[in-house]
């Protein structure tokens, strides 16, 4: 009998599509800080995306309950480390609302001025770092030079470079230094004179436009569904800005200067364009605040507070248009010197959820472009 030979052919995974699970982060050059993305891939295309958060485990909301109303400002200062002044502001506005406290006019206008300078500092970081993620190294050097000009005036007035700790319940820590307003005005003019570099270097770059135009479009329906806010929402045509629609501080008197920038495309390019135009407008608002401060008569910058500050029993909600979007502060008091509960609604936490909608169907190569265009801070997610 003639012996037979059996041959086994292994066709492997080539016969049908095979999904691969890829973890980006929590420590990876393509992520911002300790964010982890769990991606399911079909070849080079993303079929499912899940942001995995919690690696910073800050626990700020629980810590609020063990600090008095002066101490919680320090905790709230840090969740979005690029928007420290604005973070402080939201907390003190909530406490002042609970107390029914009127803040001196000089403090109101100074707060508005510093909030807009802080907005410029925040936006400049992303205007420089986003092109860096797409291969353009030059813009980040220009961005940091302009940031340094404004950091100098912020440091002079508060003593801090990132965590200013300048807000107080009832106003601000102290009045502005002598001659500071003139130096701040010169710094604003200096930065404005060089902002066209971002138009020339970034928006005028065909590679940048090729990597961002039409990439990662976010529909207005998804903006509402996920609670997305700030520049990302306005880039998708959602025309909402608390500074105009529910004015706080001095924004009600700045409506002629305030311009809410929107786009309809909702893609990565639109988000960058909104951020850039908002930076220009924030510089204009800062100038308007300096003009008004020059007209105000001398007066107090804060209210005198009792040695032990206690908010009356009850609850209140305050929200602000932070640089990255809407921040909300739900404060519950039992009449003690510490909050019973202070719930923080941070902009980045909601904005990052949109990745579930944006990434599926896109290529892995576009993931970095989409991720960078959401302009978030991980501490603002893991609050």
């Amino acid at each position: 009998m003639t012996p037979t030979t059996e041959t086994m052919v292994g066709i492997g995974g080539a016969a049908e599509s095979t999904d691969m699970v890829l973890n980006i982060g929590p420590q990876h050059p393509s992520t911002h800080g300790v964010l982890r993305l769990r991606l399911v891939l079909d070849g080079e295309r993303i079929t499912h995306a899940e942001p995995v958060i919690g690696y910073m485990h800050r626990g700020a909301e629980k810590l609020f309950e063990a600090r008095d109303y002066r101490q919680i400002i320090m905790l709230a200062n840090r969740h979005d480390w690029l928007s420290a002044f604005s973070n402080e502001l939201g907390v003190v506005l909530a406490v002042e609302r609970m107390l029914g406290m009127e803040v001196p006019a000089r403090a109101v206008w100074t707060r508005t001025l510093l909030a807009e300078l802080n907005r410029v500092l925040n936006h400049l970081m992303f205007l420089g770092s986003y092109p860096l993620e797409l291969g353009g190294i030059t813009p980040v050097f220009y961005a940091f030079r302009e940031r340094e000009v404004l950091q100098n005036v912020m440091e002079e007035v508060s003593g801090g470079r990132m965590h200013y700790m300048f807000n107080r319940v009832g106003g601000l820590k102290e009045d502005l230094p002598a001659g500071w307003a003139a130096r701040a005005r010169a710094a604003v003019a200096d930065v404005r004179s060089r902002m066209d570099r971002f138009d020339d270097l970034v928006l005028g770059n065909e590679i940048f436009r090729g990597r961002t135009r039409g990439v990662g479009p976010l529909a207005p329906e998804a903006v509402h569904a996920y609670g997305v806010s700030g520049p990302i929402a306005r880039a998708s045509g959602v025309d909402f800005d608390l500074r105009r629609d529910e004015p706080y501080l001095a924004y009600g008197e700045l409506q002629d200067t305030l311009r809410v920038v929107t786009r309809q495309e909702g893609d990565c390019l639109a988000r960058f364009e909104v951020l850039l135009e908002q930076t220009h407008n924030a510089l204009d608002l800062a100038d308007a605040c300096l003009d008004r401060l020059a007209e105000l008569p001398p007066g107090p910058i804060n209210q005198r507070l009792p040695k032990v500050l206690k908010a009356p029993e009850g609850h209140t909600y305050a929200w602000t248009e932070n640089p990255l979007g809407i921040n909300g502060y739900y404060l519950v008091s039992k009449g003690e010197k510490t909050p019973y509960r202070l719930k923080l609604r941070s902009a980045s936490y909601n904005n990052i959820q949109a990745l579930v909608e944006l990434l599926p169907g896109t290529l892995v190569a576009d993931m970095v472009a989409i991720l960078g265009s959401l302009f978030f801070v991980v501490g603002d997610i893991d609050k």
Side-chain angles (χ1 to χ4, degrees), residues 135-193:
I137 192 172
T138 308
V140 74
F141 296 117
Y142 288 109
F144 268 82
R145 181 176 70 176
E146 310 314 328
R147 274 176 56 86
E148 197 63 29
V149 173
L150 294 178
Q151 287 280 30
N152 287 339
V153 295
M154 293 292 281
E155 183 178 8
E156 181 186 357
V157 75
S158 68
R161 286 182 58 82
M162 284 185 66
H163 304 300
Y164 306 108
M165 282 303 297
F166 198 56
N167 278 287
R168 296 292 187 272
V169 176
L172 294 168
K173 176 186 174 186
E174 56 197 7
D175 209 342
L176 302 174
W180 181 87
R183 291 188 288 275
R185 193 184 294 277
V188 169
D190 193 22
V191 172
R192 182 189 286 110
S193 69

Side-chain angles (χ1 to χ4, degrees), residues 3-9:
T4 58
T5 302
E6 294 184 1
T7 304
M8 183 174 292
V9 178

